[in-house]
Amino acid sequence: QVQLLESGGGSVQAGGSLRLSCSASGIGIFSSGCLGWFRQAPGKEREGVASIFIITKNDYYVDSVKGRFTISLQNTVNTATVYLQMNNLRPDDSATYYCAARDDNCWVSQPARYNYWGQGTQVTVSS
């Protein structure tokens, strides 16, 4: 059973930084796999932020966060911790951030392709 647990959310002023963490267990069942970060603001659809392919650690970003956010990964055979370093935060980055996993290639902008989800962590950026 794959389990994901996020941490690191909080409140920050515009221009500040936060680092989110996601502890993933049970990923040893994946033949290959991808871990990703998504976010959802109130009244909006869930959207992709960044993803990383476990085997190669190739990373992918949506345009709105390129140059500001960095995804990284530390993993063993069965566990992983995926980080999202968020710099130069803006008020429109405010959302609940979710960690997700799938046993296949990364699809950074398509949350429906991910099978496993964490509970989410709140990020609030004030102007």
Side-chain angles (χ1 to χ4, degrees), residues 57-114:
K57 298 189 179 178
N58 287 345
D59 53 358
Y60 308 90
Y61 302 89
V62 295
D63 287 345
S64 61
V65 307
K66 284 180 181 177
R68 301 189 299 124
F69 291 10
T70 303
I71 189 171
S72 59
L73 173 68
Q74 292 181 323
N75 63 296
T76 65
V77 171
N78 196 45
T79 64
T81 301
V82 59
Y83 302 96
L84 186 68
Q85 177 66 43
M86 305 186 295
N87 298 328
N88 193 20
L89 282 160
R90 309 185 305 216
D92 61 357
D93 293 317
S94 297
T96 300
Y97 282 70
Y98 297 91
C99 178
R102 71 187 302 264
D103 183 11
D104 210 322
N105 294 330
C106 289
W107 292 84
V108 65
S109 298
Q110 299 190 27
R113 293 184 179 267
Y114 288 73

Side-chain angles (χ1 to χ4, degrees), residues 39-47 91-98 121-125:
R39 64 187 181 186
Q40 188 168 18
K44 295 188 177 181
E45 292 186 354
R46 192 167 296 189
E47 63 176 4
D92 61 357
D93 293 317
S94 297
T96 300
Y97 282 70
Y98 297 91
T121 185
Q122 180 67 40
V123 171
T124 303
V125 184

